[in-house]
Amino acid sequence: VSDQIRERVLLAISLLNYKPNGIARSLKNAKTNIIGLILPDMEEIYSMQVMKSIERMTSLKGYKIIFCSNHHDPKREVTALQWLIEKRVDGIIMFPTGRNLEDVEIPSSIPVVLLERKVKGPNFDLVRHEHKNTAIQLVQNIYKKKGQCHLLFIHGSSANQIEEERLEGALQAIDLYDQVNNKQYFLELNSRSEIDQITEMIYQSILKNNPDVIFATNPNFLAGAIRAALKLGLRISEDIEITGFGEIDPFDIFRPLITVAKEQPDEIGQIAVNVLFKKINKQFQATPQEYIIKPKIIVGNSNGKLVL
Amino acid sequence: VSDQIRERVLLAISLLNYKPNGIARSLKNAKTNIIGLILPDMEEIYSMQVMKSIERMTSLKGYKIIFCSNHHDPKREVTALQWLIEKRVDGIIMFPTGRNLEDVEIPSSIPVVLLERKVKGPNFDLVRHEHKNTAIQLVQNIYKKKGQCHLLFIHGSSANQIEEERLEGALQAIDLYDQVNNKQYFLELNSRSEIDQITEMIYQSILKNNPDVIFATNPNFLAGAIRAALKLGLRISEDIEITGFGEIDPFDIFRPLITVAKEQPDEIGQIAVNVLFKKINKQFQATPQEYIIKPKIIVGNSNGKLVL
DNA sequence: TTGTATGCGTTATCAA
DNA sequence: TTGATAACGCATACAA
């Protein structure tokens, strides 16, 4: 391009006050440079971290994300999905709440990557954590450390795939490692209850059952267990062992005391984006695959002191 | 519309496999039903809560949000802004990092609402917290409770408007309430340093200066102060008072011990969205306004016990 | 009620 | 290199 021409063009641009219109461009090119992201909510640190990871990856490649929360409602999830399809986003990453997407017509031109949960209907790539074996490992850790002991299991509804797998692993591990048929206690809670309520239920259960160890299947229960223990004046890790899944506090104030299986939202996001972009750029692997990430088990210090 | 016709239309729709195209519609209508949201990052709980609030409000009115993180980089902020303008979003809410938007041409057709910080250049609506008076109130609380005492102030760079106002208020309050010229210590840290590093600096400062009270201007410093105190074996609220701005943990495990000025991300988001929609629907107030939200001061219990 | 034409702002194509 | 024209898919306006 000659300098003369360039000058004339730039002049014309400023003269006519020309502003490129991305909508017209998208219409013409059939490309929006937008990725749709559907997550259950934004309360959970995990969701936020996944989102952050995805934002970082996509923004590197010049994409932006349209963010939709389904508020744990399958109907809103479907609405969001349809909205994104209508807006012709270039790809969709979703952490499904509903288990069934058979009714939604998702054009093959829009690749979809699922997070954590499978759905009935279309066959999509799935990026998820390893839950069962991780639970087994956590329980194994407990028996290694405490020898024979009384466990209090706090878990959510097994209507939830993730909870189900974690519980399944834990049960299997008990079968394996509990030599003398110790008593175990099970407490099923709703993980989306208020933290005060969760705390109270756990508090009551500790009072009643007097367990040596609490195993919590998610960060909300983990937090509740910590709060309940503090409320009872129990020293964590000395008087009672607490372990389970998830990140409990962003500042790592309490984490050093407990052994947790830490989710890897960064990796989840990275892989999801990479897989999605491969599909967008038609570098298929033909068949959708499942990518499984191992949570990182971080062992708490055993003397019951905070060492920050 | 007659039933016959309706039937024929629906038939045609399914026959031709008609899928409405939102891009073409947006081009024609000059309306995208998308709000652009620019935030510094997604690390901070505050950002996430603002975002959640905005998502909830906008989704009620059928809008979705395109989310951009500027990663605390004014250049990326400008890029994001231009991208959103090019994509003709219907409105923009931004928490500015840069102080100057004079170079960016923002068409008057796209209303903008700022969060927390003013910028040079265009005159936009601003929704922000009250920082100065809140700091004054927090300091007043300390003197009321402890009488005369030695304060350790942990604050960020006053290049940051928010930090500046909080520090200013605190200083003013000291002038007002410190009767006998007690010694105060000031520690300036970078609020985006690693939490371990922040903790270490505060730890050293406590060792050296032996303060009765720590005042932290933001949640990161607050968390660092708590960690440092724990590391030193100090009992929070008994041996050392900790107070300051922000939410430190999502599960409220430590909060009961300390008096904090809690930000109101929900309100910030709500007001921002309401103001924005008024502009979008041309129900102007002619001149941009400033909306100021008071943080909620939550007083910790004074006996140094966790009561959850 | 039905059909036909036009424009939104790009980009791609073809001709000059 | 330049200019003219069509098409993306929808909405609107006007004519039949």
Side-chain angles (χ1 to χ4, degrees):
Chain A
V1 196
S2 76
D3 275 5
Q4 237 194 19
I5 301 233
R6 165 162 320 199
E7 211 170 310
R8 272 177 61 196
V9 170
L10 292 174
L11 182 74
I13 284 179
S14 67
L15 220 60
L16 298 173
N17 196 22
Y18 169 79
K19 297 270 175 296
N21 182 323
I23 303 175
R25 189 171 286 165
S26 290
L27 179 61
K28 182 66 197 167
N29 295 351
K31 184 126 183 35
T32 52
N33 279 309
I34 296 173
I35 300 296
L37 175 60
I38 306 177
L39 294 175
D41 59 47
M42 287 176 283
E43 327 252 329
E44 312 208 355
I45 298 171
Y46 173 68
S47 292
M48 190 188 74
Q49 288 174 334
V50 168
M51 185 169 164
K52 182 185 145 193
S53 163
I54 290 175
E55 193 275 338
R56 196 168 45 76
M57 295 291 293
T58 53
S59 71
L60 278 175
K61 314 212 177 190
Y63 283 73
K64 297 270 177 268
I65 59 182
I66 289 191
F67 178 75
C68 311
S69 173
N70 62 32
H71 301 262
H72 298 275
D73 175 355
K75 277 185 199 163
R76 292 183 73 156
E77 172 164 276
V78 170
T79 312
L81 202 48
Q82 285 166 334
W83 196 96
L84 291 173
I85 292 169
E86 188 166 328
K87 271 280 187 278
R88 300 293 194 270
V89 295
D90 294 335
I92 295 173
I93 297 176
M94 81 184 276
F95 187 149
T97 284
R99 319 198 118 209
N100 197 320
L101 253 47
E102 286 169 318
D103 304 335
V104 191
E105 258 195 79
I106 302 168
S108 63
S109 54
I110 302 182
V112 176
V113 174
L114 299 178
L115 302 182
E116 297 295 357
R117 284 202 267 260
K118 269 191 186 131
V119 290
K120 264 179 106 171
N123 191 15
F124 293 131
D125 289 279
L126 172 64
V127 186
R128 68 178 190 86
H129 279 105
E130 165 66 80
H131 300 294
K132 193 174 159 186
N133 285 328
T134 309
I136 291 177
Q137 209 175 326
L138 283 173
V139 171
Q140 187 182 357
N141 260 10
I142 294 168
Y143 281 98
K144 222 185 268 169
K145 179 170 176 192
K146 304 281 284 190
Q148 298 306 306
C149 57
H150 294 285
L151 289 165
L152 168 58
F153 268 87
I154 304 163
H155 61 93
S157 158
S158 43
N160 179 324
Q161 285 172 53
I162 297 170
E163 288 289 333
E164 187 184 14
E165 286 178 36
R166 290 175 179 180
L167 184 59
E168 195 187 331
L171 290 174
Q172 193 170 313
I174 291 174
D175 264 2
L176 263 159
Y177 299 107
D178 178 30
Q179 315 289 349
V180 293
N181 265 4
N182 288 298
K183 193 139 182 50
Q184 287 97 31
Y185 311 99
F186 292 86
L187 178 62
E188 178 174 332
L189 298 177
N190 180 344
S191 60
R192 277 183 290 128
S193 301
E194 287 298 316
I195 181 71
D196 285 341
Q197 202 182 335
I198 290 173
T199 303
E200 179 60 22
M201 305 289 279
I202 298 176
Y203 179 91
Q204 295 300 339
S205 182
I206 297 177
L207 268 184
K208 186 174 157 206
N209 301 315
N210 195 30
D212 310 307
V213 179
I214 300 181
F215 182 109
T217 53
N218 67 52
N220 289 338
F221 298 161
L222 215 43
I226 291 172
R227 288 166 49 113
L230 291 174
K231 197 171 165 185
L232 281 158
L234 297 171
R235 285 162 305 176
I236 295 165
S237 162
E238 270 184 289
D239 301 329
I240 192 165
E241 197 77 30
I242 297 178
T243 189
F245 278 89
E247 192 56 80
I248 58 149
D249 67 294
F251 297 117
D252 255 8
I253 290 174
F254 264 104
R255 224 269 314 129
L257 290 179
I258 66 179
T259 296
V260 293
K262 205 170 176 172
E263 286 155 334
Q264 305 290 303
D266 254 45
E267 273 193 70
I268 293 273
Q270 272 181 42
I271 293 176
V273 170
N274 285 336
V275 170
L276 192 69
F277 278 136
K278 271 196 189 146
K279 299 267 169 167
I280 289 177
N281 301 324
K282 318 270 184 203
Q283 311 157 347
F284 338 83
Q285 326 96 293
T287 51
Q289 278 184 270
E290 208 168 317
Y291 303 83
I292 301 178
I293 314 286
K294 279 187 101 58
K296 190 169 175 185
I297 294 190
I298 302 181
V299 179
N301 71 331
S302 47
N303 62 7
K305 292 259 169 61
L306 282 167
V307 188
L308 293 163
Chain B
V1 195
S2 78
D3 275 4
Q4 237 194 18
I5 302 235
R6 165 162 321 198
E7 210 171 312
R8 274 177 59 198
V9 169
L10 291 174
L11 183 72
I13 283 179
S14 67
L15 221 60
L16 299 172
N17 194 23
Y18 170 80
K19 298 271 174 295
N21 181 323
I23 303 175
R25 187 172 285 161
S26 290
L27 180 60
K28 179 67 197 169
N29 296 352
K31 186 130 184 28
T32 53
N33 278 307
I34 296 174
I35 300 296
L37 175 59
I38 305 177
L39 293 175
D41 59 48
M42 288 177 283
E43 328 252 331
E44 312 206 355
I45 298 171
Y46 173 67
S47 291
M48 190 188 72
Q49 288 174 335
V50 168
M51 185 168 163
K52 181 184 146 195
S53 163
I54 289 176
E55 193 275 339
R56 195 169 44 78
M57 295 292 292
T58 52
S59 72
L60 279 174
K61 314 212 177 190
Y63 284 74
K64 296 270 177 268
I65 59 182
I66 288 191
F67 178 73
C68 312
S69 173
N70 62 32
H71 300 262
H72 298 276
D73 175 354
K75 278 185 198 162
R76 292 182 74 156
E77 171 164 275
V78 170
T79 312
L81 201 50
Q82 286 167 333
W83 196 96
L84 291 172
I85 292 169
E86 188 166 328
K87 270 278 186 280
R88 300 294 193 270
V89 294
D90 294 336
I92 295 174
I93 297 176
M94 81 183 276
F95 187 149
T97 284
R99 319 200 117 207
N100 196 321
L101 253 47
E102 286 170 318
D103 304 335
V104 190
E105 259 194 79
I106 302 168
S108 62
S109 53
I110 303 183
V112 176
V113 174
L114 298 178
L115 301 183
E116 297 294 359
R117 283 203 267 259
K118 270 192 187 132
V119 291
K120 265 179 106 171
N123 192 14
F124 293 130
D125 289 278
L126 172 65
V127 186
R128 67 177 190 87
H129 278 106
E130 166 66 80
H131 301 294
K132 191 174 161 187
N133 286 329
T134 309
I136 291 177
Q137 209 175 324
L138 282 173
V139 171
Q140 187 183 0
N141 260 10
I142 293 167
Y143 281 98
K144 222 185 268 171
K145 181 171 173 190
K146 303 283 284 190
Q148 298 307 304
C149 57
H150 295 285
L151 289 165
L152 168 58
F153 269 87
I154 304 164
H155 61 94
S157 159
S158 43
N160 179 323
Q161 284 172 53
I162 297 169
E163 288 290 334
E164 186 184 16
E165 285 178 37
R166 289 176 179 180
L167 183 60
E168 194 187 332
L171 290 173
Q172 193 171 314
I174 291 174
D175 264 0
L176 263 159
Y177 298 107
D178 177 33
Q179 315 289 350
V180 293
N181 265 2
N182 288 299
K183 191 137 183 54
Q184 287 98 31
Y185 311 99
F186 293 86
L187 178 61
E188 178 174 331
L189 297 176
N190 181 344
S191 60
R192 279 182 289 129
S193 301
E194 286 299 316
I195 180 71
D196 285 342
Q197 200 181 335
I198 290 173
T199 303
E200 179 60 22
M201 304 289 279
I202 298 176
Y203 179 91
Q204 294 301 340
S205 182
I206 297 178
L207 268 184
K208 184 174 158 205
N209 301 315
N210 194 30
D212 309 307
V213 179
I214 299 180
F215 183 107
T217 53
N218 67 53
N220 289 337
F221 297 162
L222 216 44
I226 292 172
R227 288 167 50 112
L230 291 175
K231 197 171 167 186
L232 281 158
L234 298 170
R235 287 162 303 175
I236 295 166
S237 165
E238 271 185 288
D239 301 328
I240 193 165
E241 197 78 29
I242 296 179
T243 188
F245 279 89
E247 191 56 79
I248 58 148
D249 67 294
F251 298 116
D252 255 7
I253 290 175
F254 263 104
R255 224 271 311 127
L257 290 178
I258 65 180
T259 296
V260 293
K262 206 170 177 173
E263 286 155 333
Q264 306 291 303
D266 255 45
E267 274 193 70
I268 294 274
Q270 272 181 43
I271 294 177
V273 170
N274 285 336
V275 171
L276 192 70
F277 279 134
K278 272 197 187 145
K279 299 268 169 165
I280 289 177
N281 301 324
K282 318 270 183 202
Q283 310 156 347
F284 336 83
Q285 326 95 294
T287 51
Q289 275 185 273
E290 207 168 317
Y291 302 85
I292 300 178
I293 314 286
K294 277 187 104 57
K296 192 169 172 187
I297 293 188
I298 303 181
V299 179
N301 71 333
S302 47
N303 62 8
K305 291 260 168 61
L306 283 167
V307 187
L308 294 163

